[in-house]
Amino acid sequence: MKRVGMLVVLLALVLAGSMPALAVGKLRVATDATFPPFEYVDEKTREMDGFDIDIIKEIGKRLGMTVEIVNTAWDGLLPGLKTGKYDLVISGMTITDERVMAVDFSDPYFATGQVILVRAGTTDVKEPSDLKGKIVAVQIGTTGQFAAEKIQGLKRIDTYDTTPAAFMALKMRKADAVVTDEMVAREEQQANPGQLQLVGRPFTVEYYGIAVNKGNTQLLRQINRALAQMKADGTYDAIYDKWFGDK
């Protein structure tokens, strides 16, 4: 019996060693929850919610892992990932050449583009070139800032720590426009009927990815596999419709 018991233990260890390291345990996730409808703190429940939150919770479920989501300032997301505080970052983060130098990204899970948001009643802004001589508010370190920096003739670009702070600058007339991701602008427009308006079409093409540390290929493969399964079985579409079906 002792010999059989030892064989069972050895077999269990062999099988465990052949299983993915992330099959059980906790997935530490960083997000900047100031970017509705992708990630934000619900005022009633005080819990984080949003499209990205639903996506990563579903991925965690498919990996058999508990998901711990940490609300982190935007400029601390990738540094925290690099130092091992988090296993991954999901935060409406566009895959860019510069970021790819520092981290690895999953397959794209959302397509977007930069748009212009102005105060309702603004008639002289219809496209980026119309922002000449105007003040543009952006969240610092985002593709909104990068896109605004390519617009010729701006009076200046004012950077803010969060996108809501940039929106507030627009409402308070400290800025003439905000450049930000399309669905985020639409969310803000809907939350402020008659106050703000989105003009024109997206003038960039971007794709969000889930960031992991360089070389963490096992986690990256598992994330990509889960995303592919979600898209194939309709789960991704259901989450998309929940957050963007009326936009």
Side-chain angles (χ1 to χ4, degrees):
M1 290 299 293
K2 289 182 179 178
R3 182 175 296 176
V4 172
M6 182 60 70
L7 288 173
V8 170
V9 170
L10 289 173
L11 180 59
L13 289 173
V14 170
L15 290 174
S18 67
M19 292 174 65
L22 292 170
V24 295
K26 181 181 290 186
L27 198 61
R28 296 165 299 168
V29 177
T31 193
D32 176 12
T34 62
F35 204 58
F38 293 95
E39 42 270 325
Y40 65 97
V41 177
D42 187 286
E43 293 182 358
K44 294 180 180 178
T45 66
R46 305 312 302 167
E47 298 290 330
M48 279 181 274
D49 204 357
F51 177 80
D52 284 354
I53 305 302
D54 283 354
I55 289 291
I56 201 59
K57 284 182 177 179
E58 179 64 25
I59 289 174
K61 183 168 68 175
R62 290 174 186 243
L63 298 188
M65 301 186 74
T66 300
V67 175
E68 178 189 358
I69 303 174
V70 183
N71 193 358
T72 305
W74 176 260
D75 60 2
L77 292 174
L78 294 187
L81 178 64
K82 297 282 288 179
T83 58
K85 288 179 66 176
Y86 318 116
D87 298 307
L88 62 85
V89 170
I90 184 168
S91 195
M93 184 173 285
T94 298
I95 303 168
T96 67
D97 292 341
E98 182 179 17
R99 290 170 183 159
V100 166
M101 296 289 289
V103 298
D104 288 336
F105 281 98
S106 70
D107 295 334
Y109 70 91
F110 195 87
T112 188
Q114 296 301 305
V115 295
I116 301 167
L117 193 70
V118 297
R119 288 183 295 276
T122 300
T123 59
D124 60 343
V125 176
K126 294 182 174 60
E127 57 186 35
S129 61
D130 295 330
L131 293 174
K132 182 177 181 180
K134 298 188 183 298
I135 300 170
V136 173
V138 298
Q139 182 180 3
I140 192 168
T142 64
T143 48
Q145 178 183 351
F146 307 153
E149 289 172 345
K150 295 179 181 179
I151 300 172
Q152 300 294 316
L154 298 182
K155 182 175 182 180
R156 70 171 187 267
I157 298 171
D158 289 347
T159 58
Y160 294 86
D161 289 337
T162 67
T163 299
F167 290 145
M168 183 58 67
L170 177 61
K171 296 172 193 174
M172 295 180 67
R173 297 181 177 273
K174 293 181 179 180
D176 300 302
V178 171
V179 172
T180 190
D181 296 39
E182 180 184 13
M183 289 303 184
V184 177
R186 290 189 182 280
E187 181 81 3
E188 187 67 13
Q189 178 181 248
Q190 288 185 0
N192 296 270
Q195 297 182 52
L196 302 176
Q197 66 183 46
L198 188 155
V199 297
R201 296 175 175 271
F203 60 94
T204 66
V205 177
E206 304 174 19
Y207 299 94
Y208 293 166
I210 300 169
V212 303
N213 259 326
K214 279 285 186 187
N216 196 347
T217 54
Q218 185 178 30
L219 178 57
L220 200 60
R221 282 197 300 269
Q222 291 182 306
I223 290 171
N224 286 336
R225 187 181 302 119
L227 282 172
Q229 291 171 349
M230 290 163 62
K231 291 177 180 179
D233 65 21
T235 304
Y236 178 93
D237 288 342
I239 296 174
Y240 185 97
D241 289 342
K242 171 184 173 182
W243 292 101
F244 307 114
D246 61 345
K247 290 181 172 60

